[in-house]
Structures are given as structure tokens and as C-alpha cells.
Amino acid sequence: MNNSVTLVDDRPFFEKAVRFGLEHGILTRETMARIEADAPKGIVQIADHFGTAYLRTDLESAVTRMANLISLYLEDFSNGDLRAAAMSLRDNTLLSHSRGGSEMLKRLHAMPGETSLHARKVDAQGQKIFVNERSFAFPLSVASYRAQVEQCQANQMRIDFARWLARQLNTRPEECEDYSAEEVIRSAMLLLYVGAKTLEMPSKREFVNLIEALRKKTFKHKPATVDAFLREAPHAFQEMTRQAMQDFIDDALPRLKSPEKSPDEILHAEAQGAFFVRDLPEEDVVAYDRLVAKEWVRITKGDADDPAVLATIFLNVATGHPPKAAALLKEAKSIIAAFRTQGFDNKAVLAFIEEHAPFEQREDLKLMWSQDLQPDAEIHLADNDPQMPDSHMDRALQYFRQNCVANWKGNR
């Protein structure tokens, strides 16, 4: 039975390097005197940077910060070799070592912690907060520092790859700023997998067309499209493209081919696994709606941005009438009479929106009905004030004419 005990040396690497240097004659009395003379200067500078040198607590925390910064730099520089670390302390000033640790943290802060494609700028205040936390409250070990640097470098590579793809597919950098690298890469792989005639990042309407092409029984993948696309690509990006394509085939393709969700829902409903699409001002909104919600466009007659059209349709549905974008006088009276008899069928309106409206508009339309039109219409279409009866529907019809599409002449 092994009863050996493993001792863990949790002293700062700076302290271990000093002890090693003294024991092995690398650090002399003269060297230590210089280090001891340098230390107060660095402590005061650090205290002033993060607080004030006039407070004891700030000076005490500055001592810890300095030891952590020096340890981080020394252990990284020497790769854990105490002899090399002791020699560095002998040959260089103490302040240069603490500055080295500080610069390491600043470089880490400047690296991308995620893969969004927005333009990055140095944030002096954010950098100070980061160094403050990582030099005192949450100091980084060298292993953790290197792991974070490696992850940030991988993030930067993904960002560079996504931007390269966007350039190759005729997309300007500013068009991608609100997206992540993964979203741009996913859309590029979709385009290359389908083998679109024009290799250009898709708009919303083109995205729907790509998904519909993918779902056809006659669809056949064309690997030659990827080969041609990569013919003059940098070697690193060739490898990344082929890996991204395999990831697309394994993860995204089954979801895109499944009829469980419409292309419109895939485009607007999924935070994870989302896609980049170009926002083209010239693209006809009605044409997109017609593509993803044909019945909606038919019912609204292409005027879904007109509140009066929506109000007419919703009031029809809420009272059990067929959805129509305009109403004759007798139809308006029938809507009012039905409301006064049985009220509004709120669930019917919400179900109608859910079934027919474009996915991107559904929540706003539901709010328009439940928070705006429904409570307002319930007040103005009612006849429950004995002091001001409206048995002939004059006030209700006036409200209908003001808020809906009324296809009749006259004052009523």
C-alpha cells in the first residue's frame, strides 16, 4: 500500500523563482538589494493606477497585484523553468516583469472572446477593469491564460475565415456586423452545397428559394461547386471550408431538409443555428411575404402594412366571419351585431395570425390585436350605455369607417 503524500507548492511563481535563485547563487545580495529598491516604486505606480497610493488597502492590494503580474510573465516567459526565471530577475528590472504581465493581460483583453463580426476597438476603461480583475480578484494561472489565448486565436481565425467567405461571395464587411462568424459560414455552406448559379450571399427571398430547392426530390448536391470555389483559396481556408461543409452536412442539413419548419421559421425563429442574409433595400417585402405566406398576401391583398386592412381582417375573424380586407355596409353591421351578441373570439384571431402571417410579423400582429385593436373595438362597438344608446349602430359604424376599410358610401 502506497502511503506517500504529494506536497503541493502553491506559492506564487515569483516567490519560487526568487527562492531558487538564492539557493543556487543566481541572485546575489546586490541583485536582491536592487529588487528591494525597485519594488516600492512599482507598488506605488500600481496603487495609483487602480486607486491611490495614499490608502493602505490600495497599497496592500498593489503588492498582491505586482506579485501576480510578475508571476504570470515569468512563468510564461520561462515556461515554468525556475532557473530561466531567476536569471531573468537577475538581468532585468522588477518593473519590466510586472509591465510584462500587465501587457499580457492587455493583449488577452484585446483578443476576441467570441466570434461576432462587429468592428472591434480598444476600450481603455474595459481594459483597465479586465487587468484590475485578473491581477487581483481573479488572477490567471499560466495554464488558464494560455487556454484563453488559444480560444481567442481560434475565434480570430473563425472571424477571418467568415470575412474571407463574405468577400468571396460579394458581401461588404458592414453587411455582416450584426452577425456571428458561424452565421456567415453557415449561409456560405448552404450556398455552396446547393450549387447556386450566382455565388453571392442570399437575401431573405433567395434564402427561401435555396431551402425550397434543397427540399425538392430531384435535388442533387454538386461537390464540383466547392472544388471550383476553392481553386485559388489560401490553403488554411481550403481546409476550413471543407471542415465547415462537413459540419453543415452533419448538423444543419437534416434540419433544413425537414418539413417540420418552414424556411421563414428557420430564418427568423432560431437563435442557435441561425443564418446570415443580406438586407436588400430594393427587395420587395410583399414579394417575400408572397413566397413564405401566400394565403396571407391573398387575404391582405398585399396591403399588410395598412392598419385598416389588418383591423378589418381581425374583426371579421374575431366574430366568426371569413377574413376579408374590406367590408360592405351589411358586412360591417353583421360584425357589430355578432360582437354585441357573443363578444370577440380572441383565440381565433391569434390562431389565424399563427397559421397565416409571416413568422417575423406574428408577435407584433398578436400585440396589435390584444393590446390595441381588441380593447379599443370592445369599447366603441358596444351598446351598453343606457344614457347613450346605439341601437342603430351609428357610432359603431362611424368607428368602423375610421379604423377599417369601409366599402360603402354615405355618412354611416
Side-chain angles (χ1 to χ4, degrees):
M1 183 169 143
N2 187 357
N3 291 322
S4 63
V5 177
T6 302
L7 296 176
V8 177
D9 187 352
D10 59 356
R11 292 174 299 163
F13 189 80
F14 172 39
E15 184 181 338
K16 287 190 265 188
V18 170
R19 182 68 58 87
F20 183 93
L22 290 171
E23 290 174 352
H24 292 80
I26 299 170
L27 299 178
T28 64
R29 288 185 179 180
E30 291 76 15
T31 306
M32 292 306 300
R34 174 173 54 79
I35 289 175
E36 290 169 2
D38 273 352
K41 300 175 190 175
I43 291 168
V44 169
Q45 288 179 9
I46 292 171
D48 275 335
H49 183 69
F50 292 108
T52 173
Y54 296 102
L55 285 177
R56 180 179 174 179
T57 53
D58 285 356
L59 286 170
E60 289 174 346
S61 64
V63 173
T64 303
R65 290 183 196 281
M66 191 171 191
N68 288 335
L69 291 171
I70 293 172
S71 293
L72 180 66
Y73 174 77
L74 269 181
E75 190 170 1
D76 183 67
F77 162 77
S78 68
N79 204 25
D81 184 336
L82 289 173
R83 180 174 295 277
M87 292 173 65
S88 182
L89 288 171
R90 180 195 66 191
D91 299 336
N92 301 283
T93 66
L94 200 63
L95 297 182
S96 69
H97 289 87
S98 65
R99 277 197 300 270
S102 178
E103 289 303 315
M104 287 173 65
L105 292 177
K106 289 177 181 178
R107 286 195 297 272
L108 178 58
H109 177 263
M111 299 174 78
E114 32 71 39
T115 59
S116 60
L117 297 178
H118 63 268
R120 287 175 168 81
K121 296 180 181 178
V122 176
D123 174 10
Q125 185 60 28
Q127 183 187 81
K128 183 176 180 179
I129 292 171
F130 181 79
V131 176
N132 177 23
E133 292 179 345
R134 291 307 187 180
S135 64
F136 184 67
F138 307 102
L140 286 174
S141 67
V142 166
S144 178
Y145 174 83
R146 289 176 174 175
Q148 290 191 34
V149 167
E150 185 177 357
Q151 181 58 58
C152 289
Q153 289 172 337
N155 291 342
Q156 186 62 60
M157 192 64 180
R158 295 287 285 178
I159 290 169
D160 293 343
F161 176 49
R163 287 175 173 160
W164 176 80
L165 285 171
R167 285 196 304 273
Q168 302 309 304
L169 299 173
N170 297 321
T171 304
R172 301 186 308 276
E174 57 269 23
E175 293 182 85
C176 304
E177 285 193 344
D178 294 331
Y179 292 85
S180 69
E182 284 68 31
E183 289 166 335
V184 169
I185 293 168
R186 215 171 279 122
S187 286
M189 295 307 107
L190 169 62
L191 196 69
L192 293 171
Y193 185 86
V194 173
K197 293 180 180 179
T198 302
L199 288 183
E200 186 172 272
M201 281 292 194
S203 64
K204 289 201 300 184
R205 188 164 49 154
E206 290 162 349
F207 176 86
V208 173
N209 288 334
L210 287 171
I211 302 303
E212 290 183 346
L214 195 63
R215 291 180 177 180
K216 289 180 179 178
K217 292 182 179 180
T218 56
F219 171 78
K220 288 185 179 180
H221 171 46
K222 302 171 184 174
T225 303
V226 178
D227 295 336
F229 179 75
L230 294 178
R231 193 165 292 136
E232 297 181 6
H235 179 70
F237 289 159
Q238 289 185 29
E239 291 187 350
M240 292 185 75
T241 300
R242 296 197 185 282
Q243 183 58 55
M245 179 58 75
Q246 190 58 53
D247 292 342
F248 172 83
I249 292 171
D250 293 341
D251 301 330
L253 189 60
R255 181 165 47 92
L256 297 179
K257 294 181 101 172
S258 171
E260 187 176 322
K261 289 187 177 180
S262 70
D264 189 38
E265 287 178 298
I266 291 173
L267 188 58
H268 294 108
E270 301 187 8
Q272 297 295 325
F275 289 80
F276 165 81
V277 289
R278 300 174 69 192
D279 185 15
L280 299 181
E282 68 272 16
E283 186 167 271
D284 189 349
V285 175
V286 175
Y288 174 77
D289 288 348
R290 187 177 291 116
L291 195 61
V292 299
K294 297 176 183 177
E295 184 66 7
W296 176 257
V297 174
R298 184 191 69 77
I299 294 169
T300 62
K301 301 187 184 302
D303 291 326
D305 57 346
D306 185 345
V309 169
L310 295 175
T312 309
I313 293 170
F314 292 166
L315 290 177
N316 268 301
V317 173
T319 53
H321 293 81
K324 297 177 68 174
L328 299 171
L329 179 58
K330 65 177 181 178
E331 293 170 333
K333 286 183 176 181
S334 180
I335 289 171
I336 296 167
F339 164 70
R340 291 179 176 180
T341 302
Q342 61 198 30
F344 288 141
D345 186 346
N346 181 56
K347 291 183 179 179
V349 178
L350 298 180
F352 172 81
I353 293 171
E354 189 67 29
E355 181 179 358
H356 296 295
F359 185 87
E360 191 177 14
Q361 302 173 27
R362 289 177 193 171
E363 291 308 311
D364 287 342
L365 291 170
K366 290 175 184 177
L367 289 175
M368 173 202 166
W369 164 252
S370 60
Q371 296 186 11
D372 184 10
L373 179 59
Q374 180 186 0
D376 192 47
E378 285 175 339
I379 294 171
H380 291 90
L381 298 185
D383 180 26
N384 50 18
D385 185 352
Q387 302 298 320
M388 298 181 66
D390 188 36
S391 57
H392 296 292
M393 302 183 181
D394 291 334
R395 286 199 310 276
L397 288 170
Q398 184 179 9
Y399 171 84
F400 195 98
R401 181 186 282 279
Q402 290 172 347
N403 292 276
C404 303
V405 180
N407 277 353
W408 69 82
K409 296 179 181 180
N411 296 326
R412 299 184 68 184

mmCIF file of all heavy atoms in Angstrom, residues 22-40:
data_model
loop_
_atom_site.group_PDB
_atom_site.id
_atom_site.type_symbol
_atom_site.label_atom_id
_atom_site.label_comp_id
_atom_site.label_asym_id
_atom_site.label_seq_id
_atom_site.Cartn_x
_atom_site.Cartn_y
_atom_site.Cartn_z
ATOM 1 N N LEU A 22 18.217 32.311 -5.075
ATOM 2 C CA LEU A 22 19.056 32.469 -3.885
ATOM 3 C C LEU A 22 19.769 31.170 -3.543
ATOM 4 O O LEU A 22 20.956 31.163 -3.197
ATOM 5 C CB LEU A 22 18.199 32.926 -2.702
ATOM 6 C CG LEU A 22 17.665 34.363 -2.772
ATOM 7 C CD1 LEU A 22 16.665 34.614 -1.650
ATOM 8 C CD2 LEU A 22 18.811 35.372 -2.710
ATOM 9 N N GLU A 23 19.046 30.051 -3.630
ATOM 10 C CA GLU A 23 19.626 28.760 -3.271
ATOM 11 C C GLU A 23 20.720 28.324 -4.237
ATOM 12 O O GLU A 23 21.644 27.590 -3.855
ATOM 13 C CB GLU A 23 18.532 27.690 -3.218
ATOM 14 C CG GLU A 23 17.568 27.861 -2.054
ATOM 15 C CD GLU A 23 16.417 26.874 -2.111
ATOM 16 O OE1 GLU A 23 16.297 26.163 -3.139
ATOM 17 O OE2 GLU A 23 15.625 26.816 -1.143
ATOM 18 N N HIS A 24 20.626 28.762 -5.488
ATOM 19 C CA HIS A 24 21.584 28.320 -6.499
ATOM 20 C C HIS A 24 22.570 29.414 -6.910
ATOM 21 O O HIS A 24 23.255 29.294 -7.928
ATOM 22 C CB HIS A 24 20.844 27.792 -7.731
ATOM 23 C CG HIS A 24 20.090 26.528 -7.479
ATOM 24 N ND1 HIS A 24 18.860 26.507 -6.861
ATOM 25 C CD2 HIS A 24 20.416 25.218 -7.727
ATOM 26 C CE1 HIS A 24 18.432 25.260 -6.772
ATOM 27 N NE2 HIS A 24 19.354 24.453 -7.280
ATOM 28 N N GLY A 25 22.626 30.473 -6.137
ATOM 29 C CA GLY A 25 23.620 31.511 -6.367
ATOM 30 C C GLY A 25 23.378 32.378 -7.588
ATOM 31 O O GLY A 25 24.271 33.115 -8.029
ATOM 32 N N ILE A 26 22.192 32.316 -8.156
ATOM 33 C CA ILE A 26 21.884 33.145 -9.330
ATOM 34 C C ILE A 26 21.570 34.571 -8.910
ATOM 35 O O ILE A 26 21.985 35.539 -9.561
ATOM 36 C CB ILE A 26 20.700 32.532 -10.115
ATOM 37 C CG1 ILE A 26 21.053 31.121 -10.609
ATOM 38 C CG2 ILE A 26 20.307 33.416 -11.290
ATOM 39 C CD1 ILE A 26 19.874 30.356 -11.186
ATOM 40 N N LEU A 27 20.877 34.710 -7.805
ATOM 41 C CA LEU A 27 20.537 36.033 -7.273
ATOM 42 C C LEU A 27 21.459 36.339 -6.086
ATOM 43 O O LEU A 27 21.443 35.628 -5.068
ATOM 44 C CB LEU A 27 19.070 36.062 -6.830
ATOM 45 C CG LEU A 27 18.031 35.788 -7.921
ATOM 46 C CD1 LEU A 27 16.619 35.803 -7.339
ATOM 47 C CD2 LEU A 27 18.145 36.806 -9.052
ATOM 48 N N THR A 28 22.262 37.379 -6.218
ATOM 49 C CA THR A 28 23.207 37.782 -5.186
ATOM 50 C C THR A 28 22.578 38.813 -4.260
ATOM 51 O O THR A 28 21.455 39.270 -4.486
ATOM 52 C CB THR A 28 24.455 38.378 -5.834
ATOM 53 O OG1 THR A 28 24.065 39.580 -6.542
ATOM 54 C CG2 THR A 28 25.091 37.390 -6.810
ATOM 55 N N ARG A 29 23.339 39.192 -3.229
ATOM 56 C CA ARG A 29 22.860 40.234 -2.320
ATOM 57 C C ARG A 29 22.620 41.531 -3.072
ATOM 58 O O ARG A 29 21.661 42.256 -2.814
ATOM 59 C CB ARG A 29 23.874 40.472 -1.197
ATOM 60 C CG ARG A 29 23.937 39.357 -0.177
ATOM 61 C CD ARG A 29 24.875 39.737 0.943
ATOM 62 N NE ARG A 29 24.932 38.692 1.963
ATOM 63 C CZ ARG A 29 25.684 38.768 3.062
ATOM 64 N NH1 ARG A 29 26.433 39.856 3.251
ATOM 65 N NH2 ARG A 29 25.680 37.780 3.944
ATOM 66 N N GLU A 30 23.534 41.849 -3.996
ATOM 67 C CA GLU A 30 23.395 43.086 -4.779
ATOM 68 C C GLU A 30 22.123 43.038 -5.635
ATOM 69 O O GLU A 30 21.398 44.037 -5.752
ATOM 70 C CB GLU A 30 24.619 43.285 -5.672
ATOM 71 C CG GLU A 30 25.912 43.602 -4.954
ATOM 72 C CD GLU A 30 26.531 42.375 -4.284
ATOM 73 O OE1 GLU A 30 26.109 41.227 -4.610
ATOM 74 O OE2 GLU A 30 27.409 42.549 -3.425
ATOM 75 N N THR A 31 21.867 41.890 -6.221
ATOM 76 C CA THR A 31 20.657 41.743 -7.040
ATOM 77 C C THR A 31 19.408 41.920 -6.185
ATOM 78 O O THR A 31 18.458 42.618 -6.571
ATOM 79 C CB THR A 31 20.607 40.351 -7.710
ATOM 80 O OG1 THR A 31 21.809 40.130 -8.430
ATOM 81 C CG2 THR A 31 19.436 40.260 -8.672
ATOM 82 N N MET A 32 19.399 41.307 -5.016
ATOM 83 C CA MET A 32 18.239 41.410 -4.128
ATOM 84 C C MET A 32 18.041 42.840 -3.642
ATOM 85 O O MET A 32 16.906 43.307 -3.476
ATOM 86 C CB MET A 32 18.385 40.451 -2.955
ATOM 87 C CG MET A 32 18.310 38.971 -3.339
ATOM 88 S SD MET A 32 16.814 38.547 -4.266
ATOM 89 C CE MET A 32 15.531 39.000 -3.089
ATOM 90 N N ALA A 33 19.167 43.546 -3.423
ATOM 91 C CA ALA A 33 19.061 44.945 -2.995
ATOM 92 C C ALA A 33 18.409 45.783 -4.090
ATOM 93 O O ALA A 33 17.574 46.665 -3.825
ATOM 94 C CB ALA A 33 20.449 45.490 -2.657
ATOM 95 N N ARG A 34 18.769 45.488 -5.343
ATOM 96 C CA ARG A 34 18.148 46.219 -6.468
ATOM 97 C C ARG A 34 16.665 45.886 -6.573
ATOM 98 O O ARG A 34 15.830 46.774 -6.788
ATOM 99 C CB ARG A 34 18.872 45.853 -7.766
ATOM 100 C CG ARG A 34 18.220 46.443 -9.021
ATOM 101 C CD ARG A 34 19.057 46.195 -10.264
ATOM 102 N NE ARG A 34 19.370 44.802 -10.460
ATOM 103 C CZ ARG A 34 18.527 43.907 -10.973
ATOM 104 N NH1 ARG A 34 17.289 44.272 -11.281
ATOM 105 N NH2 ARG A 34 18.912 42.654 -11.162
ATOM 106 N N ILE A 35 16.324 44.603 -6.401
ATOM 107 C CA ILE A 35 14.918 44.190 -6.458
ATOM 108 C C ILE A 35 14.120 44.868 -5.345
ATOM 109 O O ILE A 35 13.013 45.369 -5.565
ATOM 110 C CB ILE A 35 14.807 42.654 -6.360
ATOM 111 C CG1 ILE A 35 15.322 42.006 -7.657
ATOM 112 C CG2 ILE A 35 13.352 42.221 -6.095
ATOM 113 C CD1 ILE A 35 15.374 40.494 -7.611
ATOM 114 N N GLU A 36 14.705 44.896 -4.138
ATOM 115 C CA GLU A 36 14.019 45.506 -2.997
ATOM 116 C C GLU A 36 13.857 47.011 -3.168
ATOM 117 O O GLU A 36 12.890 47.605 -2.673
ATOM 118 C CB GLU A 36 14.780 45.193 -1.712
ATOM 119 C CG GLU A 36 14.680 43.727 -1.313
ATOM 120 C CD GLU A 36 15.642 43.362 -0.183
ATOM 121 O OE1 GLU A 36 16.353 44.265 0.300
ATOM 122 O OE2 GLU A 36 15.679 42.176 0.194
ATOM 123 N N ALA A 37 14.771 47.635 -3.918
ATOM 124 C CA ALA A 37 14.664 49.072 -4.181
ATOM 125 C C ALA A 37 13.615 49.357 -5.254
ATOM 126 O O ALA A 37 12.924 50.383 -5.225
ATOM 127 C CB ALA A 37 16.022 49.622 -4.612
ATOM 128 N N ASP A 38 13.498 48.408 -6.217
ATOM 129 C CA ASP A 38 12.518 48.578 -7.307
ATOM 130 C C ASP A 38 11.082 48.362 -6.832
ATOM 131 O O ASP A 38 10.149 49.019 -7.307
ATOM 132 C CB ASP A 38 12.796 47.563 -8.427
ATOM 133 C CG ASP A 38 13.823 48.080 -9.429
ATOM 134 O OD1 ASP A 38 14.180 49.265 -9.329
ATOM 135 O OD2 ASP A 38 14.255 47.286 -10.286
ATOM 136 N N ALA A 39 10.903 47.436 -5.907
ATOM 137 C CA ALA A 39 9.555 47.015 -5.514
ATOM 138 C C ALA A 39 8.659 48.164 -5.065
ATOM 139 O O ALA A 39 7.511 48.275 -5.537
ATOM 140 C CB ALA A 39 9.641 45.936 -4.439
ATOM 141 N N PRO A 40 9.096 49.047 -4.153
ATOM 142 C CA PRO A 40 8.209 50.132 -3.704
ATOM 143 C C PRO A 40 7.748 51.037 -4.844
ATOM 144 O O PRO A 40 6.607 51.509 -4.854
ATOM 145 C CB PRO A 40 9.061 50.898 -2.696
ATOM 146 C CG PRO A 40 10.076 49.906 -2.220
ATOM 147 C CD PRO A 40 10.370 49.050 -3.406
#
